[in-house]
Amino acid sequence: MADQRNFARTVLAISSAVIACCAVAVTVKVMATDVISVEQTRVLNQDALERQVAEVFLGPKQASVQGVTCPVSVEVKVGNKVDCRVWDGPNQKDVDVEVISDQGELSVESPR
């Protein structure tokens, strides 16, 4: 009977030690993990983009976004290039637009 009690105590002590070691290992793993910061992608406002293209192509006084279409969700990333379409009556022309600063400044090329 005494042997059974000693065996039970030994098993209980070993089990407690294993659980404690696992808890320490998990804590160390969690503390060593880098926190990943998820940065939201910034995109250009499509209406403002189309307005700026219209101003370059048609001039600030005649600018109308009615005849201008640009892609949706253009990422604000220096060097990012997109094509916008401008309709001048029945004629369609493509305009190259490039993001030139991380603040969303644009370079709008003449229609081709």
Side-chain angles (χ1 to χ4, degrees), residues 18-84:
V18 168
I19 291 171
C21 288
C22 289
V24 168
V26 168
T27 302
V28 168
K29 180 69 174 167
V30 169
M31 297 300 283
T33 304
D34 288 336
V35 177
I36 300 172
S37 66
V38 178
E39 198 173 302
Q40 218 173 12
T41 303
R42 293 176 33 222
V43 294
L44 294 173
N45 178 307
Q46 184 182 14
D47 292 334
L49 174 60
E50 290 174 348
R51 200 172 315 111
Q52 187 169 350
V53 170
E55 284 179 9
V56 168
F57 182 66
L58 302 171
K61 293 186 179 182
Q62 298 176 347
S64 168
V65 294
Q66 295 298 325
V68 179
T69 58
C70 293
V72 178
S73 300
V74 177
E75 185 178 357
V76 178
K77 183 177 177 184
V78 176
N80 197 8
K81 295 180 182 180
V82 295
D83 287 331
C84 294

